[in-house]
Amino acid sequence: MPAEWEHHDAVWFGWETDSSFYPSIAQMIKSLEPFVPVKVAVSSDSLLRIAKSYLYQNGIDSGRVTFYTMPGDRYWIRDNGAAFLVNDKGELAVADFDWDNYGMPAWLNEYFENNKDSVEKYSKLWVERRISTLDSNMAAVEKATVLKTKIIHEGGAIEVNGKGTLILCEATVFQRNPGISKEMIEAEFKRVLGVSKIIWMKKGLADDPHFFFRRITGEYVGGGTGGHTDEFVRFASPNTILLAWVAEEEKNLNPVNAMNYERMSENLKILESSTDQDGKPFSIIKVPLPDLITQKIVARSKFDSLSGKYDLSLKRFVPAERPKEGDTLIRVPATSYLNYLVTNDILLMPTYTQMGSSATKEKEVKKIFRENFPGREIATFDVMPQNWDGGGIHCSTQQQPSKKK
């Protein structure tokens, strides 16, 4: 699997019915068009018409975008879409991981308090197997070889340096694959991604908890993947790693910062003692997290026109974490500057100053990106709708590497 900063033949997007995502999708496609071909997967002809119409209304020539109707497509194309590979002969392949909707069976077990009948019933309803065919469908249109594995994994949790080293997070990998030994898991990742060295992080960011919705700590609640690497640890070169970071003076500003400081400090120690596939140590750069964004909300069983936009249903919580009717909670989105996309001569990054985060901090992040991805234009996007839904720019895209070496 090539590193993300290597040349791309295309960048893929998914498209779905949530129109709150449309403005940023259009802006990202418009920014990418001068640098890389854009491909969009949609799950139906009706969504295809919506996508083309919206892009046209926003000044984008849909004739310059390649569309594919693929049953099973969903917006977060990186997670269940194709993880592309290239060999020395210039042949394209796809690592085809299995899919369980971000570890939903284990969440259902918590939700239904070990009631096996209910877990089985709703697993069949909510873990849509057709979604797991998107990566093989993408492989088919690109005439790529498919490397199938029974390991359950999402693309947002794959981070490679293009030379043979892969970073994984224990919190997601083991949650998705109970009962499979670490040795077997490593062997499969090495087989289907062509890597020789795996580095294991312990936990991801606290504001990326597993599934929707969870208590992060106390009254702080959020939803996410449970620890995707593209939120907190990224390669910037074969020997340079970017790590999400909370400054010492900020760690006690709120409980979420304190949790992130502890988790990233543990991950830092692991990285400092790790080496690449050739036994060389890494240069580690700490990338500030944006200031914590919060929204006071109310837990409700019924909603009406007066209900708050971000209020949550009591039914969305597992019983052990369920608030009471009318409880005030603090909702937190999954925000991180490391959920960026780097492609041909451009880097797409999120911006948070519109939400009150420090402009000085954001300038520091841009400086880090300029120094580590020289010669690339940097474009910023407000992707708060995606952040509230547990994702970001990187989750919304999937690069297709060039077959030419």
PDB file of all heavy atoms in Angstrom, residues 33-61:
ATOM      1  N   GLU A  33     -10.187  19.384  -8.189  1.00  0.00           N
ATOM      2  CA  GLU A  33     -10.260  19.209  -9.651  1.00  0.00           C
ATOM      3  C   GLU A  33      -9.015  19.644 -10.419  1.00  0.00           C
ATOM      4  O   GLU A  33      -8.610  18.960 -11.363  1.00  0.00           O
ATOM      5  CB  GLU A  33     -11.495  19.935 -10.199  1.00  0.00           C
ATOM      6  CG  GLU A  33     -12.755  19.103 -10.171  1.00  0.00           C
ATOM      7  CD  GLU A  33     -13.868  19.717 -10.983  1.00  0.00           C
ATOM      8  OE1 GLU A  33     -13.946  20.957 -11.069  1.00  0.00           O
ATOM      9  OE2 GLU A  33     -14.660  18.950 -11.551  1.00  0.00           O
ATOM     10  N   PRO A  34      -8.358  20.763 -10.057  1.00  0.00           N
ATOM     11  CA  PRO A  34      -7.153  21.139 -10.815  1.00  0.00           C
ATOM     12  C   PRO A  34      -5.974  20.195 -10.604  1.00  0.00           C
ATOM     13  O   PRO A  34      -5.001  20.252 -11.361  1.00  0.00           O
ATOM     14  CB  PRO A  34      -6.834  22.546 -10.281  1.00  0.00           C
ATOM     15  CG  PRO A  34      -8.096  23.023  -9.645  1.00  0.00           C
ATOM     16  CD  PRO A  34      -8.741  21.810  -9.092  1.00  0.00           C
ATOM     17  N   PHE A  35      -6.046  19.351  -9.573  1.00  0.00           N
ATOM     18  CA  PHE A  35      -4.875  18.569  -9.183  1.00  0.00           C
ATOM     19  C   PHE A  35      -5.020  17.062  -9.391  1.00  0.00           C
ATOM     20  O   PHE A  35      -4.028  16.373  -9.588  1.00  0.00           O
ATOM     21  CB  PHE A  35      -4.562  18.820  -7.705  1.00  0.00           C
ATOM     22  CG  PHE A  35      -4.320  20.264  -7.372  1.00  0.00           C
ATOM     23  CD1 PHE A  35      -5.321  21.035  -6.806  1.00  0.00           C
ATOM     24  CD2 PHE A  35      -3.093  20.852  -7.642  1.00  0.00           C
ATOM     25  CE1 PHE A  35      -5.100  22.368  -6.496  1.00  0.00           C
ATOM     26  CE2 PHE A  35      -2.855  22.193  -7.339  1.00  0.00           C
ATOM     27  CZ  PHE A  35      -3.873  22.953  -6.766  1.00  0.00           C
ATOM     28  N   VAL A  36      -6.249  16.555  -9.324  1.00  0.00           N
ATOM     29  CA  VAL A  36      -6.435  15.107  -9.364  1.00  0.00           C
ATOM     30  C   VAL A  36      -7.847  14.796  -9.861  1.00  0.00           C
ATOM     31  O   VAL A  36      -8.800  15.499  -9.524  1.00  0.00           O
ATOM     32  CB  VAL A  36      -6.202  14.499  -7.956  1.00  0.00           C
ATOM     33  CG1 VAL A  36      -7.196  15.038  -6.933  1.00  0.00           C
ATOM     34  CG2 VAL A  36      -6.235  12.981  -7.977  1.00  0.00           C
ATOM     35  N   PRO A  37      -8.009  13.765 -10.705  1.00  0.00           N
ATOM     36  CA  PRO A  37      -9.355  13.368 -11.122  1.00  0.00           C
ATOM     37  C   PRO A  37     -10.204  12.954  -9.916  1.00  0.00           C
ATOM     38  O   PRO A  37      -9.702  12.341  -8.968  1.00  0.00           O
ATOM     39  CB  PRO A  37      -9.098  12.173 -12.045  1.00  0.00           C
ATOM     40  CG  PRO A  37      -7.701  12.372 -12.547  1.00  0.00           C
ATOM     41  CD  PRO A  37      -6.953  12.980 -11.391  1.00  0.00           C
ATOM     42  N   VAL A  38     -11.483  13.299  -9.968  1.00  0.00           N
ATOM     43  CA  VAL A  38     -12.403  12.981  -8.872  1.00  0.00           C
ATOM     44  C   VAL A  38     -13.418  11.948  -9.339  1.00  0.00           C
ATOM     45  O   VAL A  38     -13.969  12.058 -10.444  1.00  0.00           O
ATOM     46  CB  VAL A  38     -13.128  14.246  -8.370  1.00  0.00           C
ATOM     47  CG1 VAL A  38     -14.206  13.888  -7.342  1.00  0.00           C
ATOM     48  CG2 VAL A  38     -12.127  15.230  -7.768  1.00  0.00           C
ATOM     49  N   LYS A  39     -13.653  10.950  -8.488  1.00  0.00           N
ATOM     50  CA  LYS A  39     -14.649   9.916  -8.757  1.00  0.00           C
ATOM     51  C   LYS A  39     -15.641   9.887  -7.608  1.00  0.00           C
ATOM     52  O   LYS A  39     -15.246  10.025  -6.451  1.00  0.00           O
ATOM     53  CB  LYS A  39     -13.980   8.548  -8.935  1.00  0.00           C
ATOM     54  CG  LYS A  39     -12.983   8.515 -10.089  1.00  0.00           C
ATOM     55  CD  LYS A  39     -12.330   7.160 -10.249  1.00  0.00           C
ATOM     56  CE  LYS A  39     -11.368   7.166 -11.447  1.00  0.00           C
ATOM     57  NZ  LYS A  39     -10.749   5.840 -11.680  1.00  0.00           N
ATOM     58  N   VAL A  40     -16.910   9.725  -7.933  1.00  0.00           N
ATOM     59  CA  VAL A  40     -17.956   9.732  -6.909  1.00  0.00           C
ATOM     60  C   VAL A  40     -18.793   8.463  -7.036  1.00  0.00           C
ATOM     61  O   VAL A  40     -19.293   8.150  -8.121  1.00  0.00           O
ATOM     62  CB  VAL A  40     -18.870  10.964  -7.038  1.00  0.00           C
ATOM     63  CG1 VAL A  40     -19.992  10.912  -6.001  1.00  0.00           C
ATOM     64  CG2 VAL A  40     -18.054  12.253  -6.862  1.00  0.00           C
ATOM     65  N   ALA A  41     -18.939   7.740  -5.938  1.00  0.00           N
ATOM     66  CA  ALA A  41     -19.793   6.553  -5.901  1.00  0.00           C
ATOM     67  C   ALA A  41     -21.121   6.916  -5.247  1.00  0.00           C
ATOM     68  O   ALA A  41     -21.153   7.610  -4.229  1.00  0.00           O
ATOM     69  CB  ALA A  41     -19.114   5.439  -5.105  1.00  0.00           C
ATOM     70  N   VAL A  42     -22.201   6.474  -5.863  1.00  0.00           N
ATOM     71  CA  VAL A  42     -23.541   6.693  -5.306  1.00  0.00           C
ATOM     72  C   VAL A  42     -24.272   5.359  -5.299  1.00  0.00           C
ATOM     73  O   VAL A  42     -23.997   4.476  -6.110  1.00  0.00           O
ATOM     74  CB  VAL A  42     -24.345   7.734  -6.117  1.00  0.00           C
ATOM     75  CG1 VAL A  42     -23.690   9.098  -6.050  1.00  0.00           C
ATOM     76  CG2 VAL A  42     -24.500   7.291  -7.562  1.00  0.00           C
ATOM     77  N   SER A  43     -25.213   5.216  -4.378  1.00  0.00           N
ATOM     78  CA  SER A  43     -25.864   3.919  -4.213  1.00  0.00           C
ATOM     79  C   SER A  43     -27.101   3.732  -5.084  1.00  0.00           C
ATOM     80  O   SER A  43     -27.627   2.631  -5.178  1.00  0.00           O
ATOM     81  CB  SER A  43     -26.249   3.705  -2.746  1.00  0.00           C
ATOM     82  OG  SER A  43     -27.170   4.694  -2.325  1.00  0.00           O
ATOM     83  N   SER A  44     -27.577   4.827  -5.732  1.00  0.00           N
ATOM     84  CA  SER A  44     -28.793   4.718  -6.528  1.00  0.00           C
ATOM     85  C   SER A  44     -28.816   5.787  -7.617  1.00  0.00           C
ATOM     86  O   SER A  44     -28.101   6.789  -7.546  1.00  0.00           O
ATOM     87  CB  SER A  44     -30.028   4.881  -5.631  1.00  0.00           C
ATOM     88  OG  SER A  44     -30.087   6.205  -5.110  1.00  0.00           O
ATOM     89  N   ASP A  45     -29.671   5.568  -8.616  1.00  0.00           N
ATOM     90  CA  ASP A  45     -29.816   6.540  -9.703  1.00  0.00           C
ATOM     91  C   ASP A  45     -30.394   7.860  -9.193  1.00  0.00           C
ATOM     92  O   ASP A  45     -30.042   8.937  -9.692  1.00  0.00           O
ATOM     93  CB  ASP A  45     -30.714   5.977 -10.797  1.00  0.00           C
ATOM     94  CG  ASP A  45     -30.052   4.838 -11.572  1.00  0.00           C
ATOM     95  OD1 ASP A  45     -28.804   4.771 -11.547  1.00  0.00           O
ATOM     96  OD2 ASP A  45     -30.775   4.037 -12.186  1.00  0.00           O
ATOM     97  N   SER A  46     -31.272   7.787  -8.189  1.00  0.00           N
ATOM     98  CA  SER A  46     -31.856   9.017  -7.655  1.00  0.00           C
ATOM     99  C   SER A  46     -30.798   9.877  -6.976  1.00  0.00           C
ATOM    100  O   SER A  46     -30.778  11.102  -7.137  1.00  0.00           O
ATOM    101  CB  SER A  46     -32.989   8.692  -6.678  1.00  0.00           C
ATOM    102  OG  SER A  46     -32.525   7.909  -5.590  1.00  0.00           O
ATOM    103  N   LEU A  47     -29.882   9.246  -6.228  1.00  0.00           N
ATOM    104  CA  LEU A  47     -28.797   9.999  -5.605  1.00  0.00           C
ATOM    105  C   LEU A  47     -27.824  10.520  -6.645  1.00  0.00           C
ATOM    106  O   LEU A  47     -27.231  11.590  -6.472  1.00  0.00           O
ATOM    107  CB  LEU A  47     -28.055   9.122  -4.590  1.00  0.00           C
ATOM    108  CG  LEU A  47     -28.566   9.141  -3.148  1.00  0.00           C
ATOM    109  CD1 LEU A  47     -27.712   8.239  -2.269  1.00  0.00           C
ATOM    110  CD2 LEU A  47     -28.568  10.565  -2.580  1.00  0.00           C
ATOM    111  N   LEU A  48     -27.656   9.791  -7.726  1.00  0.00           N
ATOM    112  CA  LEU A  48     -26.796  10.252  -8.815  1.00  0.00           C
ATOM    113  C   LEU A  48     -27.327  11.570  -9.372  1.00  0.00           C
ATOM    114  O   LEU A  48     -26.568  12.517  -9.590  1.00  0.00           O
ATOM    115  CB  LEU A  48     -26.732   9.190  -9.909  1.00  0.00           C
ATOM    116  CG  LEU A  48     -25.957   9.560 -11.180  1.00  0.00           C
ATOM    117  CD1 LEU A  48     -24.495   9.823 -10.874  1.00  0.00           C
ATOM    118  CD2 LEU A  48     -26.094   8.457 -12.229  1.00  0.00           C
ATOM    119  N   ARG A  49     -28.630  11.646  -9.575  1.00  0.00           N
ATOM    120  CA  ARG A  49     -29.228  12.874 -10.095  1.00  0.00           C
ATOM    121  C   ARG A  49     -29.061  14.024  -9.102  1.00  0.00           C
ATOM    122  O   ARG A  49     -28.759  15.159  -9.485  1.00  0.00           O
ATOM    123  CB  ARG A  49     -30.716  12.639 -10.399  1.00  0.00           C
ATOM    124  CG  ARG A  49     -30.962  11.746 -11.602  1.00  0.00           C
ATOM    125  CD  ARG A  49     -32.415  11.767 -12.029  1.00  0.00           C
ATOM    126  NE  ARG A  49     -33.275  11.133 -11.037  1.00  0.00           N
ATOM    127  CZ  ARG A  49     -33.575   9.835 -11.018  1.00  0.00           C
ATOM    128  NH1 ARG A  49     -33.070   9.025 -11.938  1.00  0.00           N
ATOM    129  NH2 ARG A  49     -34.389   9.347 -10.095  1.00  0.00           N
ATOM    130  N   ILE A  50     -29.240  13.718  -7.811  1.00  0.00           N
ATOM    131  CA  ILE A  50     -29.077  14.745  -6.778  1.00  0.00           C
ATOM    132  C   ILE A  50     -27.639  15.261  -6.759  1.00  0.00           C
ATOM    133  O   ILE A  50     -27.392  16.469  -6.700  1.00  0.00           O
ATOM    134  CB  ILE A  50     -29.471  14.180  -5.399  1.00  0.00           C
ATOM    135  CG1 ILE A  50     -30.982  13.942  -5.334  1.00  0.00           C
ATOM    136  CG2 ILE A  50     -29.033  15.124  -4.281  1.00  0.00           C
ATOM    137  CD1 ILE A  50     -31.430  13.177  -4.099  1.00  0.00           C
ATOM    138  N   ALA A  51     -26.685  14.338  -6.814  1.00  0.00           N
ATOM    139  CA  ALA A  51     -25.268  14.715  -6.767  1.00  0.00           C
ATOM    140  C   ALA A  51     -24.892  15.589  -7.956  1.00  0.00           C
ATOM    141  O   ALA A  51     -24.264  16.649  -7.800  1.00  0.00           O
ATOM    142  CB  ALA A  51     -24.395  13.459  -6.717  1.00  0.00           C
ATOM    143  N   LYS A  52     -25.271  15.180  -9.144  1.00  0.00           N
ATOM    144  CA  LYS A  52     -24.928  15.947 -10.341  1.00  0.00           C
ATOM    145  C   LYS A  52     -25.567  17.328 -10.306  1.00  0.00           C
ATOM    146  O   LYS A  52     -24.929  18.333 -10.653  1.00  0.00           O
ATOM    147  CB  LYS A  52     -25.371  15.189 -11.597  1.00  0.00           C
ATOM    148  CG  LYS A  52     -24.489  14.001 -11.946  1.00  0.00           C
ATOM    149  CD  LYS A  52     -24.897  13.411 -13.281  1.00  0.00           C
ATOM    150  CE  LYS A  52     -23.926  12.327 -13.720  1.00  0.00           C
ATOM    151  NZ  LYS A  52     -24.272  11.785 -15.061  1.00  0.00           N
ATOM    152  N   SER A  53     -26.830  17.380  -9.891  1.00  0.00           N
ATOM    153  CA  SER A  53     -27.536  18.653  -9.836  1.00  0.00           C
ATOM    154  C   SER A  53     -26.894  19.594  -8.820  1.00  0.00           C
ATOM    155  O   SER A  53     -26.687  20.783  -9.104  1.00  0.00           O
ATOM    156  CB  SER A  53     -29.006  18.424  -9.482  1.00  0.00           C
ATOM    157  OG  SER A  53     -29.679  19.638  -9.280  1.00  0.00           O
ATOM    158  N   TYR A  54     -26.556  19.063  -7.655  1.00  0.00           N
ATOM    159  CA  TYR A  54     -25.976  19.915  -6.620  1.00  0.00           C
ATOM    160  C   TYR A  54     -24.618  20.455  -7.059  1.00  0.00           C
ATOM    161  O   TYR A  54     -24.321  21.646  -6.869  1.00  0.00           O
ATOM    162  CB  TYR A  54     -25.839  19.152  -5.300  1.00  0.00           C
ATOM    163  CG  TYR A  54     -25.428  20.057  -4.160  1.00  0.00           C
ATOM    164  CD1 TYR A  54     -26.381  20.728  -3.404  1.00  0.00           C
ATOM    165  CD2 TYR A  54     -24.083  20.277  -3.866  1.00  0.00           C
ATOM    166  CE1 TYR A  54     -26.007  21.588  -2.381  1.00  0.00           C
ATOM    167  CE2 TYR A  54     -23.702  21.135  -2.845  1.00  0.00           C
ATOM    168  CZ  TYR A  54     -24.663  21.783  -2.106  1.00  0.00           C
ATOM    169  OH  TYR A  54     -24.291  22.647  -1.101  1.00  0.00           O
ATOM    170  N   LEU A  55     -23.787  19.605  -7.638  1.00  0.00           N
ATOM    171  CA  LEU A  55     -22.468  20.053  -8.071  1.00  0.00           C
ATOM    172  C   LEU A  55     -22.596  21.105  -9.172  1.00  0.00           C
ATOM    173  O   LEU A  55     -21.872  22.107  -9.168  1.00  0.00           O
ATOM    174  CB  LEU A  55     -21.634  18.868  -8.543  1.00  0.00           C
ATOM    175  CG  LEU A  55     -21.252  17.847  -7.460  1.00  0.00           C
ATOM    176  CD1 LEU A  55     -20.445  16.702  -8.059  1.00  0.00           C
ATOM    177  CD2 LEU A  55     -20.477  18.506  -6.322  1.00  0.00           C
ATOM    178  N   TYR A  56     -23.527  20.890 -10.094  1.00  0.00           N
ATOM    179  CA  TYR A  56     -23.748  21.867 -11.172  1.00  0.00           C
ATOM    180  C   TYR A  56     -24.172  23.219 -10.599  1.00  0.00           C
ATOM    181  O   TYR A  56     -23.666  24.267 -11.012  1.00  0.00           O
ATOM    182  CB  TYR A  56     -24.813  21.345 -12.137  1.00  0.00           C
ATOM    183  CG  TYR A  56     -25.184  22.331 -13.222  1.00  0.00           C
ATOM    184  CD1 TYR A  56     -24.355  22.523 -14.321  1.00  0.00           C
ATOM    185  CD2 TYR A  56     -26.363  23.084 -13.128  1.00  0.00           C
ATOM    186  CE1 TYR A  56     -24.681  23.437 -15.311  1.00  0.00           C
ATOM    187  CE2 TYR A  56     -26.698  24.002 -14.109  1.00  0.00           C
ATOM    188  CZ  TYR A  56     -25.854  24.173 -15.196  1.00  0.00           C
ATOM    189  OH  TYR A  56     -26.176  25.085 -16.169  1.00  0.00           O
ATOM    190  N   GLN A  57     -25.082  23.191  -9.613  1.00  0.00           N
ATOM    191  CA  GLN A  57     -25.555  24.428  -8.995  1.00  0.00           C
ATOM    192  C   GLN A  57     -24.441  25.154  -8.254  1.00  0.00           C
ATOM    193  O   GLN A  57     -24.532  26.352  -8.007  1.00  0.00           O
ATOM    194  CB  GLN A  57     -26.694  24.118  -8.023  1.00  0.00           C
ATOM    195  CG  GLN A  57     -27.980  23.675  -8.695  1.00  0.00           C
ATOM    196  CD  GLN A  57     -28.996  23.134  -7.701  1.00  0.00           C
ATOM    197  OE1 GLN A  57     -28.885  23.375  -6.502  1.00  0.00           O
ATOM    198  NE2 GLN A  57     -29.976  22.397  -8.203  1.00  0.00           N
ATOM    199  N   ASN A  58     -23.382  24.426  -7.914  1.00  0.00           N
ATOM    200  CA  ASN A  58     -22.267  25.031  -7.187  1.00  0.00           C
ATOM    201  C   ASN A  58     -21.039  25.230  -8.071  1.00  0.00           C
ATOM    202  O   ASN A  58     -19.904  25.279  -7.576  1.00  0.00           O
ATOM    203  CB  ASN A  58     -21.923  24.177  -5.969  1.00  0.00           C
ATOM    204  CG  ASN A  58     -22.919  24.361  -4.835  1.00  0.00           C
ATOM    205  OD1 ASN A  58     -22.766  25.236  -3.993  1.00  0.00           O
ATOM    206  ND2 ASN A  58     -23.970  23.541  -4.851  1.00  0.00           N
ATOM    207  N   GLY A  59     -21.292  25.347  -9.363  1.00  0.00           N
ATOM    208  CA  GLY A  59     -20.236  25.741 -10.286  1.00  0.00           C
ATOM    209  C   GLY A  59     -19.250  24.661 -10.645  1.00  0.00           C
ATOM    210  O   GLY A  59     -18.131  24.957 -11.088  1.00  0.00           O
ATOM    211  N   ILE A  60     -19.639  23.397 -10.491  1.00  0.00           N
ATOM    212  CA  ILE A  60     -18.740  22.292 -10.813  1.00  0.00           C
ATOM    213  C   ILE A  60     -19.267  21.569 -12.041  1.00  0.00           C
ATOM    214  O   ILE A  60     -20.432  21.169 -12.095  1.00  0.00           O
ATOM    215  CB  ILE A  60     -18.623  21.311  -9.625  1.00  0.00           C
ATOM    216  CG1 ILE A  60     -17.994  22.023  -8.424  1.00  0.00           C
ATOM    217  CG2 ILE A  60     -17.792  20.087 -10.008  1.00  0.00           C
ATOM    218  CD1 ILE A  60     -18.080  21.245  -7.140  1.00  0.00           C
ATOM    219  N   ASP A  61     -18.429  21.428 -13.046  1.00  0.00           N
ATOM    220  CA  ASP A  61     -18.795  20.717 -14.260  1.00  0.00           C
ATOM    221  C   ASP A  61     -18.835  19.227 -13.945  1.00  0.00           C
ATOM    222  O   ASP A  61     -17.795  18.584 -13.809  1.00  0.00           O
ATOM    223  CB  ASP A  61     -17.774  21.014 -15.364  1.00  0.00           C
ATOM    224  CG  ASP A  61     -18.096  20.300 -16.670  1.00  0.00           C
ATOM    225  OD1 ASP A  61     -19.132  19.597 -16.732  1.00  0.00           O
ATOM    226  OD2 ASP A  61     -17.300  20.434 -17.613  1.00  0.00           O
TER     227      ASP A  61
END
